[in-house]
Amino acid sequence: MAIKFGRPIENPRATRQAASLDLVVRPRRNRRNAWVRRMVRENTLTTDDLIWPLFVVDGSRLRVPVPSMPGVERLSIDEAVRAAEHAARLDIPCIALFPYTDPSLRDEDGSEATNPDNLICRTVRAIKKEVPDIGILCDVALDPYTSHGHDGLLRGEEIVNDETVAVLVEQALVQARAGCDIIAPSDMMDGRVGAIRAALDDDGRSEVVIMAYAAKFASAFYGPFRDAVGSSKTLMGDKRTYQMDPANTDEALREVELDIEEGADMVMVKPGMPYLDVLWRVKDAFALPTFAYQVSGEYAMIMAAANNGWLDGERAMMESLIAFKRAGADGVLSYFALRVAEKLKAAG
Ligand code: PBG
C-alpha cells in the first residue's frame, strides 16, 4: 500500500493505540531544533545579496528625514560618502543613488539630468574618490528633474518615447563619465537599453554594466519614494502609459526579453514582494542575473506596522528578504540593506 504523505497508514495497531497516529513520515523531524533546520535550509541571505538605495540632497552635513520612510534620510554628499564607507565596511557590494533635486532646478524637460555637474554626478565622483571599492548604480529617468514629475518628456498629454530616449542617453553618458559602474534605466521607454548600450560603447565605456528595470509596474507602492525625491506633489496624472499594468506577467517576459536583446547585463523586477511570481518566471525563463526592488512602499508598510507594535519589524524584514531569494533573486535593492548587513555581521 502506498504511503500517503502525512496520513495514517492502515495498520491494525493504529486503531488499538488511538493516542498515536503511527505515522511513517513526520516532516517535523527536520524542524526539531536549530541545527537540523540549518542543515535542511534551502536558501540563504548574505550581504552579497544587498544593494542599498540612498537619497542625496545638496548642502553639507545634512541628514533630512523622509517622513513616509521612517529611518531613511536624504543625505548631503559628505554624509553620502560616509554612508558608502559604512556600507563598504559591512561588505555591501553596491549602492544606488537617487537625487532630491532643488525645485529651482526642475523644468519641463528635466534638463538638469544631463548636466555633468549635477548632484548625482558630483556624488558619484566624491564616493568613487573616497570609497573606490563599492559599486555605484545610478537610475536613468527624468522624474527627479522634471517639473511635472514624469520619467520622460511631456508633449501635450503624451510622454513622447523617442525624443525621451535621446535625453536618457545623454543622462546615462554624464553618469558613466562621472564614474558610475551600473546604469539602471527605470523609465520604461521603448528601445532605451539598446540606445544607451550603443552610446556607452561609442564613448569608450563598454565596461559599464546595464541593469534594466525590465519589468517595472505602474505601482502605488512607489509613493514614499516620490516623497523622498520630491516628485509626489508635482506628478501630473499617473505613469500607466509607460509602466506596466499590474495584471500582466506574459508582458513582463516580453519586456525582459527585449531588454536582454538590446544588451542588458542584469534585469530587475519592481516592485518586489507583490510581484514574486514575475520574479520567478523571469529568472526561470532567462537565467540572467535577476534583481528585485523592495520598493519604498513595501519598506514603509513594514516600518509602519513595526512602529505601531503590530508586527516584529526585524523578523518581517528578514523574512521579506529571504522570500526574494526563494523566488530566484540574485539580489535585492532594499532600504533595509544596512540594517540587514549589520544583523548578518553580528550573527557572524
Ligand atoms: C524613477 C524611479 C521610481 C522608483 C525608482 N526609480 C519611481 C517611479 O517610477 O515613479 C521607485 C522606487 C521606490 O519606490 O522605492 N523612475
Side-chain angles (χ1 to χ4, degrees):
M1 191 200 58
I3 294 171
K4 282 208 186 114
F5 185 78
R7 293 252 167 70
I9 289 163
E10 271 175 49
N11 179 332
R13 266 198 304 136
T15 46
R16 283 201 304 277
Q17 290 180 326
S20 159
L21 291 174
D22 205 17
L23 298 178
V24 171
V25 180
R26 289 183 182 271
R28 288 183 58 190
R29 275 195 285 266
N30 288 347
R31 302 179 200 135
R32 273 177 67 84
N33 17 48
W35 63 264
V36 77
R37 288 194 295 271
R38 279 198 283 126
M39 271 178 81
V40 301
R41 187 160 295 146
E42 298 171 40
N43 293 285
T44 48
L45 177 72
T46 76
T47 47
D48 294 341
D49 299 315
L50 302 169
I51 299 174
W52 188 30
L54 293 178
F55 297 106
V56 289
V57 63
D58 246 314
S60 68
R61 318 198 78 189
L62 278 181
R63 304 183 72 97
V64 187
V66 179
S68 52
M69 300 179 75
V72 171
E73 297 161 313
R74 296 178 193 144
L75 309 176
S76 53
I77 295 179
D78 52 330
E79 294 287 338
V81 169
R82 272 201 264 167
E85 275 165 3
H86 192 177
R89 264 202 310 280
L90 288 167
D91 291 327
I92 291 177
C94 185
I95 54 175
L97 300 177
F98 297 95
Y100 172 85
T101 309
D102 192 89
S104 70
L105 294 173
R106 297 178 198 225
D107 60 23
E108 274 281 301
D109 289 356
S111 55
E112 182 65 6
T114 57
N115 172 3
D117 258 327
N118 68 21
L119 177 60
I120 281 295
C121 292
R122 282 180 282 128
T123 309
V124 170
R125 283 194 289 267
I127 293 175
K128 272 289 147 194
K129 187 156 161 265
E130 305 289 332
V131 198
D133 291 335
I134 199 160
I136 301 181
L137 179 154
C138 290
D139 208 74
V140 172
L142 301 183
D143 54 323
Y145 307 98
T146 50
S147 46
H148 44 72
H150 278 289
D151 295 24
L153 302 173
L154 185 62
R155 298 285 181 255
E157 300 273 280
E158 198 185 335
I159 301 298
V160 291
N161 193 87
D162 299 11
E163 239 185 293
T164 297
V165 170
V167 181
L168 297 173
V169 163
E170 289 306 310
Q171 181 184 17
L173 281 175
V174 299
Q175 291 175 344
R177 288 173 188 152
C180 167
D181 302 289
I182 304 181
I183 292 290
S186 76
D187 51 280
M188 290 300 278
M189 297 300 122
D190 296 334
R192 87 282 205 221
V193 171
I196 290 170
R197 183 71 274 161
L200 289 171
D201 292 351
D202 281 351
D203 206 49
R205 300 182 192 279
S206 55
E207 76 286 1
V208 174
V209 171
I210 296 182
M211 182 193 289
Y213 284 72
K216 176 169 174 181
F217 291 85
S219 174
F221 292 102
Y222 308 149
F225 172 96
R226 293 177 189 164
D227 296 339
V229 299
S231 69
S232 47
K233 285 200 200 73
T234 51
L235 178 63
M236 293 158 60
D238 58 54
K239 302 191 177 182
R240 282 182 244 213
T241 68
Y242 46 105
Q243 298 178 348
M244 280 183 47
D245 184 335
N248 298 351
T249 50
D250 288 343
E251 187 188 6
L253 294 188
R254 293 197 298 274
E255 277 282 2
V256 172
E257 188 171 19
L258 267 176
D259 284 0
I260 295 171
E261 280 168 13
E262 290 178 29
D265 305 287
M266 306 172 173
V267 293
M268 190 206 297
V269 173
K270 176 181 175 200
M273 235 173 20
Y275 295 83
L276 292 182
D277 56 326
V278 180
L279 175 63
W280 175 262
R281 279 190 77 187
V282 166
K283 181 65 186 179
D284 197 46
F286 302 106
L288 216 68
T290 305
F291 293 81
Y293 199 141
Q294 181 178 47
V295 299
S296 56
E298 300 174 59
Y299 174 85
M301 285 195 297
I302 292 175
M303 289 303 291
N307 289 343
N308 272 295
W310 294 339
L311 53 71
D312 180 334
E314 290 271 304
R315 287 188 57 193
M317 167 180 88
M318 297 308 279
E319 186 177 332
S320 68
L321 286 160
I322 201 68
F324 290 112
K325 293 298 304 287
R326 198 190 61 237
D330 293 285
V332 188
L333 289 91
S334 172
Y335 301 98
F336 288 120
L338 197 76
R339 227 166 308 164
V340 170
E342 276 168 350
K343 206 178 158 73
L344 291 172
K345 187 144 237 170

